[in-house]
Amino acid sequence: MKESSNPPVISPLQLVFLIFGTIVGVGFITLPRGVMEKAREDAWISVLLAGIVSILALWLSVRAARLFPQDTLVEYNPKAFGRILGFLFNLAYAGYFFFFTVTGVRTMAEVVRAEMLPFTPLEVIILTMLFAVVYVSWDGLMPIIRLKESGLPLTFLLIVFFLLFAFLEADWSELRVPFVEGIAPVFQALPTTIYSYLGFEILFLYYPFVMRKEKALLGGSIAIALTALFYAFIVLGTLVTIGVDVAIAQTYPVITMAKLIEVVRQFVERGELLLIILWLPLAYTTHIVTLFSTAFTLQRMFPPITLRWWLSGLVPAVFTVSLIPQNLIEMAAWTDKVGVVGLFFSTGYPLLLLLAVWIRRKLHLLPEQDRIGETG
Amino acid sequence: MKPTQPGAKRVKRTKLQRLLQKRKPAPFPPDRFSSSLEENIAEIRQRLGHNADFVTRRLIYAEQKAALFFFETLVDIKLLSEQVVDPLRAVSPGEGTSGVEVTDGGTGTSVGEGTAAGLMEEISLRIVLRETHQVAAWNEAVSQLLQGYVLLLAEGETKGLLIDVKKVEKRGIDEPDTEQSVIGPRESFVENLTTNITLIRQRLRDPHLSVEEWRLTRRGSGRVALFYLADVANPQIVQEVRSRLSRIDVDAIQGQLHLQELIHDNNFSLFPQMRPTERPDATCSYLLEGNLALMVDGGAHALIFPISFFQLLETVDDYYSSWQYATLIRFVRMLALLFSIVVPGLYLSLVAYNPELIPTRLVISMDAARVKVALPIVVEIFVMELMIEVLREAGLKLPKPIGQAVSIVGGLVIGDASVNANLVSPVTVVIVAFTAISSFTAPVYLLGVSFRILRFFLLLSSSMLGLYGFLLGLFLVHAHLARLVSFGVPYLAPLSPLRLGDWVDSIVRLSYKMLTSRPSFLKPLQRVKALSTRVRPRRH
């Protein structure tokens, strides 16, 4: 009954936590800035809209993943695109998660150094975090899922509870009637906002392990909807507490918002530290999934090398690469590039996959029937 | 773990076994009994005669020479004389001499194999109340003699008769020591396996209760009993524990912890993956839930498994007090245990790195007290923790009355004096003492121990990296719990896999009326354990 030798089995509820925990991570403390730069007072609408778009993308992804219910992306890429192109896609996918981890870890380390440990080198912060990430990934996917399932609900509730206090300071006159400046700004803000929803692409990797596959779409949608509500809640909070103009000028608008909470400040000098304490578990869970997905993809591409070797090999790689950007601005540029790739993997890639499979079927290179061996 | 490892281990072990078997010189070459009684006596004297408590008694049975062999320290002499010697003697003078009943009596020395079996058969029929069986080989006979059997050999017989007249030295059934309950039953297990099986059977008179007995060791008694409800416990788990038991090859098993460490999943984990309990009632209620239990002869605890973390936080008293109170006190216990690992690390990281997170008024008064303390906070708190551990250990090692006095006086005097001498600040004393007391609320002793070690781990991590290190330490502990699996059952169940239906018994305790199903994480064969019995008072 050694667990790691069995394939993981993900229940619908666990899928919700897996996807939610992957999406909500490092990014949400900077989220309001990007949205508000474009959509200003209508930012919360953009966020909700981006959520809906993401659910559509998820639908597309599930549709594509369903073509090969027993395979992960690594196995069906060569089947659909041919050996060379498939290999390149796999490599790109692994690289995407690698850089997702790099940017995430670096951003987190910057925040921790700025707010908690001003005299500690970034290297130490990054390396210790990576150690914790590798420790939980050591036995495979199930411990990761269990960690999220048992830890996330409480953390999430505490964050919402904490940020609710911010609404006590609300100045509701900051709000405006939606669409005063037309619909265009709302849509212009969409691309940057959708970056914050990235993470559900992991479904391409873990779809074969989902227990009740017909519920995969539902589970993913719930996770994204929950994220959308949470993001809208945060953006609205930032909007009514510090206002658009201040928020745009802040590096971490949500932290600035937390600083304003008067109720907490009566007890504690720096309330925003509490927010960071609650934000760290979310960052941690995201790092785990992205690093593990990198290792998992690579292991599936090169089966002779075990997952543990890949995990331990990735630590120095992530560590080194994450120290390359000189400052936060360079880091932000990296994050944007990762976002573009993510956007491709969540929308363009499933379309390509569907197209490729369609063409291959027309050429009779793939069996005709849909959903081979899918279990109800 | 690596899939190749267990296989490799097994190969190694069989090699070792082969080696052992090879090296083992056939110690006593002729393994069969001889038909001459004198030769047999000589043989057994050579094997066991060097023992002061080994006794050989000759007697005449039905005009035939016979002998009894036994360890006088292992057999109950009264039982022996009443159940064995008396029936034998009752035959000899009357019937034996006439040769009527014992047909082979006359032909005596020349009887062959078949009739010999007949003689032993006949004797065993006379001994009604004790277990008997025939034996033809020395090695088996000797090992049974050491279990407290008496061996009867007769002239001309190549088979002997083993009669069970064990003497059992045991203490009476006592009150439980560590798992006390105010109004619950007051029985606890003893060190004798047979008594313990009786205690469980008396409570669970169910034909589905399986009690498998294993003999696991090369030396020593090595009796291990495996309990489960055959129609409830998951057969995969039963199979798994059987295979783990069958792989055990040791000289002797010293109590239940030895067995636990031989078969649990993760050898490096601080957390107990099986729950020891000294109460038969608790054992039975776990068996009814779908858990399994193991007991070792010589150990006074049953080992319950598979166990989840939250099942370790249950106490028997939760089930002998009103459910509201039980739930309240369970939360208090969880909180206390959380405090016991979290508070020192948190305190250290706040004071040393982020004092701005301490309420302003408190930090002022704390600082006023700390100003005179020369030691850095890290050293201060480590020294205090160490002192508490020393006091605790000293209190345990000394005889009871002195131990208590030492720990009280030591605690009071040292605590007070070190504050007065400005060695430590009073807040540190409060924190350390509070966490030490909190860790004693653990329902399972070993869990309290592991929490104490984890406290040092968190102290270390937060002393190096402040609040960040403290959080990372917590992540690691959480990650470790998420990785742990006890016989295929996730350790964090029912938090993960999240089943709110299991919370009614594992996280909170609701009224018995609502506890209608067994925990799903144990994957029992029957989920339902009671039908919902809503008794509504009739209204007129």
Side-chain angles (χ1 to χ4, degrees):
Chain A
M1 237 178 259
K2 277 276 175 279
E3 207 196 17
S4 44
S5 54
N6 299 337
V9 181
I10 308 172
S11 76
L13 193 66
Q14 287 175 328
L15 189 69
V16 173
F17 285 117
L18 179 64
I19 294 182
F20 178 77
T22 313
I23 297 176
V24 180
V26 180
F28 84 82
I29 53 167
T30 53
L31 165 77
R33 176 161 43 98
V35 198
M36 284 181 188
E37 272 171 5
K38 299 258 170 57
R40 302 204 41 101
E41 278 83 357
D42 293 338
W44 58 279
I45 304 175
S46 292
V47 168
L48 287 178
L49 215 58
I52 294 170
V53 173
S54 305
I55 291 182
L56 287 180
L58 175 82
W59 174 78
L60 207 61
S61 308
V62 172
R63 186 90 191 86
R66 214 157 58 177
L67 292 172
F68 303 93
Q70 306 298 330
D71 292 343
T72 70
L73 161 133
V74 184
E75 279 94 22
Y76 59 67
N77 263 341
K79 286 187 199 166
F81 298 108
R83 194 166 288 166
I84 297 168
L85 204 59
F87 180 79
L88 287 180
F89 265 123
N90 285 344
L91 210 61
Y93 195 70
Y96 161 62
F97 276 119
F98 177 76
F99 280 99
F100 202 135
T101 320
V102 166
T103 53
V105 166
R106 175 65 189 264
T107 315
M108 181 214 70
E110 291 282 355
V111 177
V112 168
R113 190 172 65 164
E115 303 284 340
M116 271 183 178
L117 293 169
F119 307 114
T120 309
L122 274 182
E123 287 86 342
V124 177
I125 299 175
I126 292 175
L127 215 56
T128 45
M129 174 51 87
L130 286 179
F131 172 70
V133 167
V134 168
Y135 180 77
V136 69
S137 316
W138 205 242
D139 284 346
L141 184 63
M142 279 329 276
I144 296 176
I145 291 176
R146 282 202 289 270
L147 182 88
K148 283 169 181 268
E149 197 180 19
S150 52
L152 271 184
L154 185 67
T155 319
F156 181 63
L157 286 179
L158 282 175
I159 288 189
V160 171
F161 178 72
F162 178 76
L163 289 179
L164 268 180
F165 284 118
F167 281 84
L168 291 175
E169 328 290 325
D171 173 12
W172 292 97
S173 62
E174 293 273 358
L175 268 185
R176 271 191 317 191
V177 183
F179 305 122
V180 167
E181 290 180 15
I183 302 177
V186 175
F187 281 97
Q188 277 168 7
L190 271 188
T192 38
T193 319
I194 291 179
Y195 294 167
S196 307
Y197 284 93
L198 290 179
F200 58 86
E201 316 83 72
I202 53 163
L203 212 58
F204 288 121
L205 271 187
Y206 306 128
Y207 185 78
F209 310 120
V210 175
M211 194 163 59
R212 298 222 290 273
K213 295 206 167 38
E214 78 278 4
K215 294 229 170 136
L217 181 62
L218 182 70
S221 308
I222 291 175
I224 293 180
L226 214 60
T227 317
L229 289 177
F230 178 56
Y231 282 175
F233 168 76
I234 286 178
V235 170
L236 205 63
T238 328
L239 199 65
V240 294
T241 46
I242 57 178
V244 175
D245 295 313
V246 182
I248 293 175
Q250 299 296 320
T251 323
Y252 310 114
V254 180
I255 294 183
T256 316
M257 168 171 77
K259 280 183 187 162
L260 290 177
I261 300 177
E262 197 59 42
V263 184
V264 179
R265 284 183 58 185
Q266 287 176 353
F267 300 101
V268 172
E269 198 67 19
R270 286 181 61 203
E272 75 273 16
L273 264 184
L274 293 178
L275 180 72
I276 292 173
I277 291 174
L278 291 173
W279 163 82
L280 267 176
L282 292 180
Y284 176 52
T285 49
T286 305
H287 300 331
I288 294 169
V289 176
T290 52
L291 188 76
F292 180 77
S293 299
T294 320
F296 190 74
T297 314
L298 289 170
Q299 190 265 326
R300 291 248 159 180
M301 286 169 73
F302 309 100
I305 304 170
T306 61
L307 194 69
R308 291 182 175 179
W309 279 110
W310 280 115
L311 280 170
S312 0
L314 279 172
V315 169
V318 170
F319 174 70
T320 322
V321 177
S322 68
L323 289 171
I324 291 175
Q326 293 297 315
N327 48 39
L328 270 177
I329 301 161
E330 238 173 84
M331 200 66 237
W334 281 44
T335 315
D336 281 347
K337 276 175 200 143
V338 171
V340 173
V341 180
L343 214 56
F344 165 72
F345 270 111
S346 56
T347 52
Y349 169 76
L351 276 177
L352 274 179
L353 186 68
L354 285 168
L355 191 70
V357 171
W358 186 73
I359 292 172
R360 290 228 153 197
R361 277 191 183 150
K362 284 279 169 260
L363 298 173
H364 300 292
L365 291 171
L366 271 176
E368 194 61 42
Q369 77 267 35
D370 211 11
R371 301 174 212 172
I372 316 131
E374 179 160 345
T375 46
Chain B
M1 303 293 124
K2 278 178 215 158
T4 51
Q5 218 167 2
K9 232 178 218 170
R10 207 168 303 143
V11 170
K12 240 184 225 166
R13 171 155 299 159
T14 46
K15 250 187 202 164
L16 185 76
Q17 272 174 344
R18 236 180 287 143
L19 211 72
L20 279 174
Q21 274 164 3
K22 242 186 231 166
R23 224 195 264 168
K24 203 189 284 170
F28 310 111
D31 194 42
R32 298 259 144 196
F33 293 141
S34 139
S35 64
S36 147
L37 184 63
E38 291 309 318
E39 267 178 38
N40 279 337
I41 289 176
E43 173 72 29
I44 204 166
R45 284 241 168 98
Q46 197 208 328
R47 284 171 187 251
L48 296 171
H50 55 274
N51 290 303
D53 55 347
F54 183 71
V55 178
T56 310
R57 288 277 173 275
R58 289 165 194 272
L59 64 143
I60 305 277
Y61 173 73
E63 289 188 332
Q64 235 176 307
K65 279 200 271 178
L68 279 175
F69 309 93
F70 54 91
F71 282 93
E72 60 181 353
T73 47
L74 292 179
V75 306
D76 189 333
I77 296 292
K78 202 172 150 220
L79 260 183
L80 178 66
S81 76
E82 280 174 6
Q83 303 292 337
V84 182
V85 180
D86 286 357
L88 289 181
R89 214 186 272 155
V91 180
S92 311
E95 300 145 73
T97 41
S98 66
V100 176
E101 180 136 332
V102 188
T103 44
D104 305 324
T107 41
T109 46
S110 61
V111 282
E113 288 274 316
T115 44
L119 179 67
M120 288 303 167
E121 189 86 351
E122 188 223 315
I123 296 173
S124 73
L125 282 177
R126 295 187 176 277
I127 300 163
V128 184
L129 289 174
R130 308 308 301 176
E131 187 212 323
T132 59
H133 55 92
Q134 297 189 19
V135 64
W138 276 116
N139 282 342
E140 193 196 342
V142 168
S143 81
Q144 296 289 45
L145 278 173
L146 285 163
Q147 299 282 349
Y149 281 73
V150 163
L151 175 65
L152 176 73
L153 289 176
E155 181 68 43
E157 306 286 341
T158 53
K159 283 198 173 166
L161 191 68
L162 284 166
I163 307 147
D164 172 16
V165 282
K166 270 188 212 104
K167 174 163 72 178
V168 181
E169 290 290 353
K170 61 180 180 196
R171 61 187 171 102
I173 294 167
D174 247 340
E175 277 195 37
D177 226 7
T178 52
E179 294 167 80
Q180 278 151 355
S181 152
V182 183
I183 51 172
R186 296 184 194 285
E187 275 179 343
S188 73
F189 288 127
V190 293
E191 284 79 359
N192 182 271
L193 186 59
T194 317
T195 316
N196 292 344
I197 295 177
T198 316
L199 284 175
I200 289 177
R201 276 229 190 262
Q202 275 174 356
R203 280 160 197 280
L204 270 181
R205 296 184 189 275
D206 178 0
H208 296 293
L209 172 66
S210 301
V211 184
E212 286 181 15
E213 200 171 311
W214 291 69
R215 280 178 197 274
L216 294 179
T217 55
R218 302 208 203 110
R219 297 158 197 271
S221 144
R223 283 173 75 207
V224 168
L226 169 68
F227 301 82
Y228 58 93
L229 287 180
D231 59 339
V232 175
N234 187 309
Q236 266 183 314
I237 298 173
V238 176
Q239 208 47 53
E240 175 68 20
V241 69
R242 280 192 196 136
S243 85
R244 288 190 197 181
L245 285 176
S246 62
R247 265 179 263 155
I248 290 178
D249 187 6
V250 290
D251 261 4
I253 291 183
Q254 320 282 2
Q256 76 276 350
L257 193 79
H258 190 167
L259 182 67
Q260 178 177 345
E261 293 197 352
L262 287 175
I263 65 170
H264 64 190
D265 290 70
N266 187 337
N267 216 6
F268 295 97
S269 179
L270 285 174
F271 289 89
Q273 295 147 65
M274 299 170 94
R275 175 182 179 146
T277 176
E278 54 176 351
R279 298 185 64 110
D281 51 335
T283 311
C284 289
S285 70
Y286 276 117
L287 289 175
L288 285 167
E289 293 288 282
N291 296 80
L292 286 73
L294 271 174
M295 286 198 98
V296 185
D297 196 21
H301 287 76
L303 284 173
I304 311 291
F305 67 94
I307 202 90
S308 88
F309 181 68
F310 291 96
Q311 281 187 311
L312 286 173
L313 300 182
E314 296 166 353
T315 65
V316 262
D317 219 18
D318 290 354
Y319 296 91
Y320 295 122
S321 44
S322 77
W323 58 272
Q324 299 93 337
Y325 177 71
T327 303
L328 173 76
I329 210 70
R330 203 178 267 181
F331 277 118
V332 169
R333 213 179 305 129
M334 284 183 198
L335 219 59
L337 283 176
L338 185 69
F339 280 168
S340 79
I341 71 168
V342 160
V343 167
L346 193 62
Y347 171 70
L348 175 61
S349 58
L350 288 189
V351 171
Y353 288 84
N354 294 96
E356 64 270 29
L357 265 183
I358 306 172
T360 320
R361 289 182 172 204
L362 189 61
V363 84
I364 291 169
S365 65
M366 270 165 65
D367 233 31
R370 259 198 61 78
V371 155
K372 291 184 214 150
V373 179
L375 294 174
I377 181 87
V378 182
V379 180
E380 183 189 332
I381 200 161
F382 267 105
V383 166
M384 276 315 282
E385 286 285 355
L386 201 69
M387 213 180 278
I388 281 269
E389 292 298 317
V390 169
L391 278 174
R392 203 189 50 76
E393 186 64 18
L396 269 180
K397 291 288 162 289
L398 286 168
K400 239 183 209 169
I402 311 175
Q404 279 173 359
V406 164
S407 39
I408 291 171
V409 172
L412 284 178
V413 171
I414 294 180
D416 194 49
S418 48
V419 169
N420 281 336
N422 290 327
L423 284 174
V424 292
S425 78
V427 185
T428 310
V429 176
V430 171
I431 296 271
V432 169
F434 174 66
T435 49
I437 304 248
S438 293
S439 74
F440 294 136
T441 59
V444 177
Y445 176 71
L446 288 176
L447 189 69
V449 173
S450 64
F451 271 54
R452 275 212 292 281
I453 302 177
L454 283 178
R455 185 160 78 220
F456 281 102
F457 166 66
L458 282 177
L459 263 177
L460 213 66
S461 70
S462 40
S463 71
M464 286 190 287
L465 282 172
L467 216 47
Y468 178 69
F470 171 72
L471 282 173
L472 272 187
L474 276 187
F475 291 168
L476 281 175
V477 173
H478 187 184
H480 177 75
L481 288 174
R483 280 176 58 175
L484 266 188
V485 172
S486 166
F487 291 88
V489 173
Y491 204 55
L492 278 178
L495 221 56
S496 167
L498 192 62
R499 296 270 181 287
L500 288 181
D502 292 344
W503 284 33
V504 295
D505 198 6
S506 303
I507 309 276
V508 297
R509 175 171 98 74
L510 294 187
S511 155
Y512 277 117
K513 271 186 193 171
M514 294 175 226
L515 307 181
T516 53
S517 59
R518 302 194 164 88
S520 63
F521 52 84
L522 296 173
K523 302 192 185 76
L525 294 179
Q526 298 173 9
R527 270 308 299 284
V528 178
K529 66 175 173 184
L531 290 174
S532 170
T533 47
R534 290 253 169 91
V535 185
R536 290 221 180 90
R538 192 173 286 168
R539 290 207 182 133
H540 295 287

